[in-house]
Amino acid sequence: MLEDLLKAADASDVVDAPPFISGTWGGEGPPLEHTGPYLRRTVSRATTSTTAEIDTALQQAGRYAEQVASLAPAARAQILETASRTASAHRERLARLLALELGKPLKDSRTEIDRVASTFAVCAAEARRIDGENLPVAGWNTGIGNTALTYRAPAGVALAITPFNAPANLLAHKLGASFAAGNTTLVKSPPQAPAASAAVVAVLLESGMPHQAVQLLHGGGEVGAALCAGDEVSVISFTGSAATGAAVARAAGAKRLALELGGNAATIVCEDADAESAAALCARNGYSNSGQSCISVQRVYVHRSRFDPFLDAFTAAVDVLVVGDPLDEDTDVGSMVDEDAAERVVRWSKEAAGLGARVIRGGTRDGATAAPTIIADPPAHASVVVHEVFGALVAVIPFDDFDTVLDACNASRYGLQAGLFTHDITRILTAWRRLQVGGLIVNGSSNYRLGHVPFGGVKDSGFGREAPRWLIDDYTVVKTLMLRGLSVWGEHRELPKENT
């Protein structure tokens, strides 16, 4: 299947991406066609999973769970290591598939495939580290004479629901960590990226993952809701909007959840920072993947004394970004996921201008391609400040007082990551303590991420941490063994008295 997917992408043909259920590629549901946002034609085709297919997938996942759990961690690790090498070997072809399906420039698509390979390697390493504890029960009087042991057991059936903006890498995180933990996994792909999702599953299957370990289904929210409600599902990992995350939680009921939701990331540039270097970094990162990242640079608060130099340098750096064909090697900014998403950037730019902000660059679109947009000094109640843009737009806002700017950052309902440019350790520690975010990037913009470091948010940005080691915590349950009357710690409450 992997070769079929990649061969079609090589030829720029429509890529057929069937579901994978009960060890077989193919589905009988209604067609699900996706239009490439740059090419403006059908680029991938799948089938929407039927009620019968959903039921079969759930039943088979439940039936296979014990078999998959019996596979030793070393065997899981070896498969994941092979998958890492397989992804690297097909790097160029997989990147082309992403560019065709999502309008993501080859530069960004290659980076995503590199992250897939790295993620599988990290998942393999974490599979080898899964362990348990010998608990110090004899440290309390009630535990004397006993031994208590724990180990992390597979949860059973995991459900992975992935977004369109990084469909390959985020699926690698969810599916790779779930398999590392010993689970069987149901995957619900995003409607905008069925082919990319199928390719990741195919990479794992061709690397030795047993078919019992994964089922792939396509469709929209109705398919996701049916899977979430399945009694067979033990744990759900979802990445997407806050509204959809709430719907997932309602459909799931009393199941374990790891939710990585929206963001409205802020980056602070203090007066002691190198404004020009910070501007270059924010410009380079603010429009990667057309800003379609939950930690994309959206709000940049710059100390008023450095505001003009920063804005000038930022604008100059944006002006040299190449916008266009995602398959062109020189392209820096491709298309957004669809025309509605690009129109949101245009609409919110106009709203900001009506509220007194300056539109320095952009505020226009060509189809689904939004021009890199810079909004200077929007008011605090503008949509580009309050809401998640998830697009090719960065707002640059002056500030005067450090405590006040921390409050401005925290005013958002989201709290995923923030960036801070300063050399003042007091400010760094203060921001780390006070900012209501899951992660703070110092001397970097908000959208820096390492795949083996915990990643997740607070408030409406969700809960749980999406990195293999921490996902494995979500994908496993702690099982305790109590040995009464058997102790490795010592059994006496006091030593017997000696006769003298």
Side-chain angles (χ1 to χ4, degrees):
M1 175 53 64
L2 179 60
E3 183 60 28
D4 290 341
L5 293 165
L6 297 181
K7 189 180 294 184
D10 291 343
S12 295
D13 290 336
V14 176
V15 182
D16 284 308
F20 182 77
I21 301 172
S22 299
T24 302
W25 290 98
E28 298 181 353
L32 176 67
E33 294 189 342
H34 172 60
T35 299
Y38 183 81
L39 295 176
R40 307 184 195 188
R41 64 167 175 80
T42 300
V43 294
S44 59
R45 182 168 50 217
T47 60
T48 299
S49 295
T50 65
T51 299
E53 289 170 340
I54 293 168
D55 290 343
T56 297
L58 285 165
Q59 292 164 10
Q60 293 291 77
R63 186 165 70 87
Y64 292 148
E66 190 171 347
Q67 295 179 44
V68 177
S70 70
L71 197 61
R76 301 175 215 151
Q78 289 164 6
I79 292 167
L80 288 162
E81 287 165 348
T82 301
S84 176
R85 294 190 293 269
T86 302
S88 293
H90 294 289
R91 176 182 188 248
E92 292 300 320
R93 302 175 77 193
L94 288 166
R96 180 179 176 86
L97 175 58
L98 284 174
L100 285 169
E101 195 164 42
L102 295 167
K104 179 181 293 192
L106 283 173
K107 292 177 182 178
D108 292 338
S109 296
R110 290 190 184 106
T111 298
E112 182 167 350
I113 300 306
D114 289 342
R115 293 177 67 188
V116 169
S118 175
T119 297
F120 284 149
V122 173
C123 288
E126 294 299 338
R128 299 183 188 278
R129 288 160 46 97
I130 296 174
D131 58 10
E133 293 183 82
N134 181 358
L135 300 176
V137 292
W140 284 262
N141 285 335
T142 53
I144 293 175
N146 302 302
T147 298
L149 307 172
T150 68
Y151 82 102
R152 300 202 73 94
V157 177
L159 170 59
I161 303 178
T162 52
F164 72 82
N165 60 317
N169 183 49
L170 292 180
L171 179 53
H173 272 274
K174 297 178 189 299
L175 179 52
S178 180
F179 181 61
N183 296 310
T184 184
T185 309
L186 296 153
V187 174
K188 208 291 285 182
S189 72
Q192 304 91 340
S197 304
V200 173
V201 171
V203 163
L204 283 161
L205 291 170
E206 297 199 9
S207 300
M209 174 183 275
H211 73 83
Q212 295 92 337
V214 63
Q215 318 261 340
L216 170 66
L217 299 97
H218 301 301
E222 71 288 347
V223 174
L227 291 168
C228 288
D231 292 337
E232 297 84 353
V233 174
S234 302
V235 57
I236 300 170
S237 175
F238 168 81
T239 300
S241 71
T244 307
V248 165
R250 288 192 297 271
K255 294 185 177 76
R256 303 177 74 185
L257 298 173
L259 303 179
E260 196 269 277
L261 307 178
N264 178 3
T267 294
I268 302 169
V269 181
C270 295
E271 63 268 35
D272 65 326
D274 183 332
E276 289 75 13
S277 296
L281 188 60
C282 288
R284 186 164 63 248
N285 294 338
Y287 303 96
S288 61
N289 199 21
S290 293
Q292 295 172 126
S293 167
C294 49
I295 51 173
S296 184
V297 179
Q298 178 174 328
R299 297 177 290 158
V300 184
Y301 292 94
V302 185
H303 192 270
R304 196 173 299 277
S305 66
R306 308 297 291 149
F307 183 80
D308 289 338
F310 178 94
L311 186 58
D312 289 345
F314 185 80
T315 303
V318 170
D319 284 343
V320 301
L321 294 174
V322 177
V323 182
D325 186 351
L327 294 175
D328 188 321
E329 293 286 351
D330 293 328
T331 296
D332 299 301
V333 182
S335 298
M336 295 183 64
V337 68
D338 55 36
E339 293 193 18
D340 287 344
E343 180 60 26
R344 180 174 64 249
V345 171
V346 174
R347 185 172 66 252
W348 286 4
S349 298
K350 291 179 179 178
E351 179 208 69
L355 294 172
R358 291 176 289 150
V359 180
I360 305 297
R361 293 289 186 273
T364 60
R365 69 177 177 94
D366 179 5
T369 302
T373 299
I374 306 171
I375 306 294
D377 203 10
H381 60 284
S383 293
V384 297
V385 178
V386 174
H387 303 297
E388 180 179 31
V389 176
F390 212 71
L393 183 153
V394 177
V396 186
I397 307 165
F399 77 90
D400 297 294
D401 175 74
F402 189 68
D403 286 334
T404 302
V405 79
L406 295 181
D407 292 337
C409 294
N410 287 339
S412 172
R413 57 188 276 237
Y414 298 108
L416 200 48
Q417 283 198 169
L420 174 64
F421 287 88
T422 186
H423 299 288
D424 186 332
I425 188 62
T426 300
R427 284 177 173 165
I428 292 169
L429 294 179
T430 299
W432 191 23
R433 182 180 69 251
R434 284 193 51 199
L435 284 176
Q436 297 166 3
V437 293
L440 175 63
I441 311 301
V442 176
N443 292 322
S445 61
S446 58
N447 61 338
Y448 183 75
R449 180 180 176 185
L450 295 176
H452 53 287
V453 171
F455 174 79
V458 298
K459 300 194 290 188
D460 280 3
S461 289
F463 47 83
R465 293 296 179 264
E466 192 165 272
R469 174 183 161 191
W470 287 267
L471 271 175
I472 286 172
D473 286 349
D474 290 319
Y475 284 142
T476 55
V477 295
V478 175
K479 298 186 74 173
T480 303
L481 177 66
M482 179 69 73
L483 302 174
R484 293 194 63 192
L486 295 173
S487 178
V488 298
W489 297 106
E491 301 176 353
H492 298 294
R493 294 179 182 273
E494 60 183 25
L495 291 178
K497 293 187 170 84
E498 296 181 0
N499 293 322
T500 56

